[in-house]
Amino acid sequence: MIDTLFSGLIHGSVYAIAAVGMSLIFGVTNVANFAQGSLVAVGMMTAWWIGTSFGAALGWSAAVTLTVTLLVVILVTGILGFIMNAVVITPLEGRKPIAALLATIGVGQVLDNSLQLIFGTQTRQFPQILPTHNLQIAGLRFGTSDIVALIVTILLMAALWAFLTYGKTGQAIRATSQDPEAARQMGIPVKTIRHISFVIGAVLAGIAGIFVGLANGNINPTNGASIGMTAFVAATIGGLGSIPGAVLGGLALGIIEALGVSWLGDGAHDLITFGALLLILIFRPQGLLFSTKSGTGAVRSEPMTGTFLENARAIRLPRWANLVLAVLALLLPFVSNNALAGAGTQVVIYALAAVGLTLISGSAGQTVLGMAGPFATGAYTSAILVTQYGWSFFAGFLAGGVVAAVTASILTFPVWKLSGHYVAIATIGVGAVTVAIIRLWEPVTHGSLGIQGIPFPRIFGQVLDTQQKMFLLDIVVLLVALWVVSRIQRAHLGHVFAAVGADQEAAEALGIRTNAYKALAYAIAGLFAGLAGALLAHQYTYIDPTIFTSTMSTLFLTIIVLGGMNSPLGAVLGSALLIGLPEVLRFASTWRGILYGILLVVIILLRPQGLWSRTVNGKNVTGKNVTGKKAA
């Protein structure tokens, strides 16, 4: 037990370093930096390169290797933090915080895939810059690296506390965190302070990466997203924006994970981590050390809700044009070869999952970052019912959508009473917990082995065993989904969704139960994601938990940002560009990920309304008010 607690303390101290950087940036800029984990991975891989290319090759001592590694990591990550804020975040000042959040997701994708391009995707051993198992006390074995990690954490936190408390720049950071406008009026260079905060946050992430490598022993450049998500969970547990809370959250999460894994096994890691997140959101959403008096941990404005599309409207085509497009889409499978039809099925499935997001993340203005969960639920539900219980494809397909919607709604039900950004965080937890349950429920889901032998769809006695037949089925389902979502948007319900997204406070003043409508929009989005997952399962004929990652959730959101967040046809266009074009041109997966990230950032900076929307001055996203009448 003692060795388990000590291991949790070591890992928790690393989480704390990364979480402090995230909380510092959030406190000053109100930006939830989802590229923080990517910066951790940059620090980790830079440390690996220094240790293997110079430390071991030149015979440097441990002290020299560690010193040089720290200096290089600080330099590299500090420069990246400055560039990120100057090029991506600062131009978004004055826009809704959700724009900056989505931009950091794009930056993270670029960094993660760039690391894979430079270093490859293979797992490798981290150099033993410091001994890892050379000490023992009362049966507890540990290493110099563990002691150094604890000492560095303590020194960093003490230095940061002294800097923020007594340093002139640190006091300016605190003032900017509490009230940027008041700080600006007092002569504080807020822009410079934000640069400094991003640099410090990035440097802390890089330093955390060094100790992630030392603690884990084996590293992989693809782990940036998972590390960043863990740091985000730690910061949320302590209280977003609270530096002491980030330290406490990191240590608490490390210990909880260590105890949980020792009892339930390593497969329960994500269930423990994100289960803890959901529990904190339900019972103490402000975090463990939230303080309304000092403003520590307080959220100035919702960073994960609302929309930056108030003056944009989806492009509407006349009915005859829609009919022409539908007919052309139905004819496409008959003139496609296997390669084109295979790419087309991917485009349509991702478009189907993204179409529902136009209601919740577009119209209703609630960011959702965990749609891989409902997608996985639909896939597994249909696969299990058809392979193990003899259900027909059509019955399993519909059940996949319904079960996905119901499951997602039940798991998020307790948090809809909270404000929008806490709900967005909860969707991250729901997605991760869903996939973790699938991995652990081995008697039903076969765990990490997945489900094999999923039959091709059978419709009216006809087996759809070719790419062209599957493509045709997918198109029919997508056309129905587009019709349903478009009808919802034009109906009174859609106008209410749009009113909630355009101005939640005004909608509540009119007596609209905004969170209830967001929950409904989320359920509808979960339904379509589940249907898309079911189609994917029967097309692949094999599924396993590794398919349904956080990257998939990000991709769904990227699709609607590219096409237009409140545009169903835009979701199809976004999917065609992000999924279809790389498939047809056979882009390598790494270059594809870099392209996704760059496109997301560019669209947010230059055309936030998306490709299939247009700006409309003086009108909300639908051009109509909540009663359904045209806006003046």
Side-chain angles (χ1 to χ4, degrees):
M1 177 63 73
I2 294 178
D3 58 338
T4 300
L5 290 174
F6 185 76
S7 174
L9 185 64
I10 297 300
H11 282 84
S13 65
V14 177
Y15 295 158
I17 296 174
V20 164
M22 180 169 279
S23 278
L24 177 65
I25 292 172
F26 184 86
V28 173
T29 65
N30 207 43
V31 173
N33 181 20
F34 274 81
Q36 189 77 350
S38 303
L39 291 168
V40 173
V42 168
M44 181 176 66
M45 297 311 301
T46 303
W48 172 84
W49 178 66
I50 294 293
T52 54
S53 301
F54 298 95
L58 301 179
W60 289 351
S61 66
V64 172
T65 303
L66 182 61
T67 301
V68 173
T69 299
L70 280 169
L71 291 176
V72 174
V73 167
I74 288 172
L75 178 64
V76 171
T77 53
I79 291 173
L80 287 176
F82 177 82
I83 292 174
M84 186 194 312
N85 187 55
V87 176
V88 178
I89 305 302
T90 298
L92 295 174
E93 186 176 354
R95 296 197 198 172
K96 297 278 186 172
I98 180 61
L101 179 144
L102 294 174
T104 65
I105 292 176
V107 171
Q109 287 182 314
V110 172
L111 291 177
D112 287 341
N113 286 277
S114 296
L115 288 177
Q116 295 171 39
L117 189 66
I118 295 169
F119 296 102
T121 58
Q122 69 272 22
T123 299
R124 77 281 314 275
Q125 186 175 3
F126 195 80
Q128 283 200 353
I129 299 175
L130 296 170
T132 55
H133 294 90
N134 61 319
L135 302 174
Q136 181 174 350
I137 297 178
L140 174 64
R141 293 194 65 85
F142 56 95
T144 303
S145 61
D146 299 328
I147 301 301
V148 172
L150 283 176
I151 292 174
V152 168
T153 301
I154 294 171
L155 291 177
L156 281 175
M157 298 306 103
L160 186 60
W161 172 82
F163 171 70
L164 294 175
T165 304
Y166 301 109
K168 184 177 179 180
T169 302
Q171 292 174 351
I173 289 175
R174 291 172 58 199
T176 304
S177 175
Q178 292 176 9
D179 193 330
E181 291 304 320
R184 186 176 283 109
Q185 293 174 7
M186 293 174 62
I188 294 175
V190 172
K191 184 177 180 179
T192 301
I193 292 301
R194 287 175 171 166
H195 281 314
I196 293 173
S197 299
F198 256 90
V199 169
I200 294 174
V203 166
L204 289 173
I207 294 173
I210 299 174
F211 293 102
V212 166
L214 286 171
N216 292 344
N218 293 319
I219 61 170
N220 190 303
T222 64
N223 293 338
S226 61
I227 296 171
M229 202 56 68
T230 303
F232 181 72
V233 172
T236 303
I237 289 174
L240 276 173
S242 168
I243 292 176
V247 176
L248 178 61
L251 296 176
L253 183 59
I255 293 173
I256 291 170
E257 283 185 354
L259 292 174
V261 169
S262 68
W263 294 335
L264 302 176
D266 189 61
H269 179 275
D270 286 352
L271 180 63
I272 296 164
T273 301
F274 293 97
L277 171 65
L278 290 176
L279 289 175
I280 283 291
L281 290 173
I282 292 170
F283 295 107
R284 192 172 176 84
Q286 301 90 344
L288 297 176
L289 291 188
F290 177 82
S291 172
T292 54
K293 292 183 179 179
S294 65
T296 301
V299 178
R300 295 195 301 271
S301 63
E302 297 287 3
M304 299 185 197
T305 188
T307 174
F308 46 85
L309 302 174
E310 290 92 338
N311 296 323
R313 184 169 63 185
I315 296 173
R316 303 287 189 187
L317 296 178
R319 183 172 297 180
W320 66 265
N322 287 322
L323 289 175
V324 170
L325 287 177
V327 171
L328 291 176
L330 290 171
L331 292 175
L332 188 57
F334 296 99
V335 297
S336 300
N337 57 26
N338 286 336
L340 183 59
T345 57
Q346 295 293 308
V347 169
V348 173
I349 286 173
Y350 275 84
L352 177 61
V355 161
L357 274 178
T358 62
L359 291 177
I360 177 65
S361 294
S363 297
Q366 176 61 67
T367 302
V368 174
L369 298 170
M371 287 308 293
F375 192 86
T377 301
Y380 269 88
T381 298
S382 184
I384 290 169
L385 292 176
V386 173
T387 59
Q388 299 181 23
Y389 295 94
W391 284 36
S392 67
F393 161 74
F394 191 68
F397 166 70
L398 293 179
V402 173
V403 171
V406 172
T407 302
S409 298
I410 291 174
L411 289 176
T412 56
F413 174 76
V415 299
W416 285 109
K417 62 182 179 181
L418 305 174
S419 57
H421 76 284
Y422 292 117
V423 177
I425 297 171
T427 64
I428 299 173
V430 167
V433 166
T434 300
V435 177
I437 292 173
I438 289 172
R439 183 178 289 109
L440 290 173
W441 201 3
E442 293 187 5
V444 176
T445 64
H446 301 167
S448 298
L449 296 177
I451 299 178
Q452 302 179 6
I454 304 170
F456 290 114
R458 179 184 292 271
I459 304 293
F460 302 122
Q462 178 70 34
V463 178
L464 308 185
D465 54 358
T466 67
Q467 294 285 9
Q468 289 82 357
K469 292 177 182 178
M470 280 295 304
F471 192 15
L472 180 60
L473 171 64
D474 294 345
I475 288 175
V476 171
V477 175
L478 177 61
L479 290 176
V480 173
L482 289 171
W483 180 80
V484 170
V485 172
S486 297
R487 292 289 295 176
I488 290 175
Q489 287 185 332
R490 294 173 183 271
H492 177 77
L493 178 61
H495 302 152
V496 176
F497 286 157
V500 171
D503 193 330
Q504 182 167 333
E505 292 183 359
E508 290 174 348
L510 292 173
I512 298 174
R513 299 172 59 190
T514 56
N515 284 335
Y517 280 100
K518 285 184 178 182
L520 176 59
Y522 180 60
I524 297 172
L527 171 69
F528 288 116
L531 294 176
L535 287 176
L536 182 83
H538 289 275
Q539 175 181 317
Y540 282 7
T541 71
Y542 166 78
I543 54 173
D544 67 63
T546 62
I547 297 174
F548 311 100
T549 63
S550 59
T551 302
M552 175 181 280
S553 297
T554 302
L555 184 53
F556 292 146
L557 192 60
T558 306
I559 285 171
I560 65 167
V561 171
L562 176 60
M565 289 188 73
N566 59 348
S567 171
L569 278 179
V572 180
L573 177 61
S575 183
L577 293 175
L578 286 180
I579 306 298
L581 186 61
E583 285 287 338
V584 171
L585 299 181
R586 299 297 181 187
F587 287 0
S589 59
T590 300
W591 284 104
R592 186 184 308 174
I594 294 174
L595 174 65
Y596 292 161
I598 293 174
L599 271 176
L600 179 58
V601 173
V602 170
I603 286 294
I604 291 171
L605 288 173
L606 303 181
R607 191 174 173 83
Q609 71 269 31
L611 298 177
W612 199 253
S613 295
R614 59 189 177 88
T615 56
V616 181
N617 293 327
K619 295 183 180 181
N620 64 20
V621 291
T622 63
K624 298 180 182 180
N625 59 30
V626 73
T627 64
K629 298 179 180 179
K630 290 186 177 181

